[in-house]
Amino acid sequence: MYFSLNDWEELSKQVLNKLIEWQRKIAYCLDNECNEYEFHILLDLLNTNDAELFEICIDTLRSYPIEEGKKIVLKHPQITERINQMLTTTANLPAKTVLRDFISKIHSN
């Protein structure tokens, strides 16, 4: 079953009002279609204080066609700044791998 445009718009409006655990679950699920709505929902979810949700969003964004999202992500330097900060403070090796891979894809030509 596919979401209608109304479904995507409603999800976009409501996602930030949901509990963190719910947001984490939706972030895991949003890489199937790689559509514009999913991408913007993930960008919205990046504005979180929850490190796990942030990492999940970055991990999911790695599966997106990078050229489409690269310009948008680079227009938001706070995303790469936060990733670089997390790289220096986290001891979690899998998270570091995800973050490094994302940064590498964003800065590739």
Side-chain angles (χ1 to χ4, degrees):
M1 183 167 124
Y2 294 97
F3 275 21
S4 69
L5 289 178
N6 288 336
D7 293 334
W8 281 116
E9 289 172 8
E10 187 63 28
L11 179 59
S12 296
K13 290 177 192 174
Q14 297 297 322
V15 70
L16 296 178
N17 298 324
K18 301 293 185 181
L19 298 172
I20 286 292
E21 192 58 40
W22 190 94
Q23 291 175 352
R24 289 176 187 156
K25 289 176 183 176
I26 196 73
Y28 271 123
C29 298
L30 288 180
D31 64 347
N32 296 341
E33 296 288 320
C34 294
N35 70 39
E36 184 177 342
Y37 284 102
E38 291 180 350
F39 184 79
H40 287 289
I41 288 169
L42 288 167
L43 285 180
D44 287 343
L45 290 172
L46 284 173
N47 293 317
T48 181
N49 292 325
D50 185 79
E52 184 178 352
L53 175 57
F54 186 86
E55 291 166 10
I56 293 166
C57 291
I58 294 297
D59 190 26
T60 301
L61 284 168
R62 291 187 314 154
S63 68
Y64 281 67
I66 206 63
E67 288 308 314
E68 294 173 19
K70 187 176 189 176
K71 292 176 188 170
I72 295 171
V73 171
L74 289 174
K75 286 181 184 178
H76 296 89
Q78 68 274 18
I79 296 171
T80 53
E81 288 169 12
R82 183 157 180 205
I83 291 171
N84 288 327
Q85 177 198 22
M86 291 178 78
L87 283 169
T88 62
T89 59
T90 187
N92 181 333
L93 186 57
K96 280 186 172 186
T97 301
V98 166
L99 297 171
R100 284 184 186 128
D101 184 53
F102 183 78
I103 289 289
S104 174
K105 286 181 179 182
I106 289 299
H107 293 294
S108 69
N109 292 328

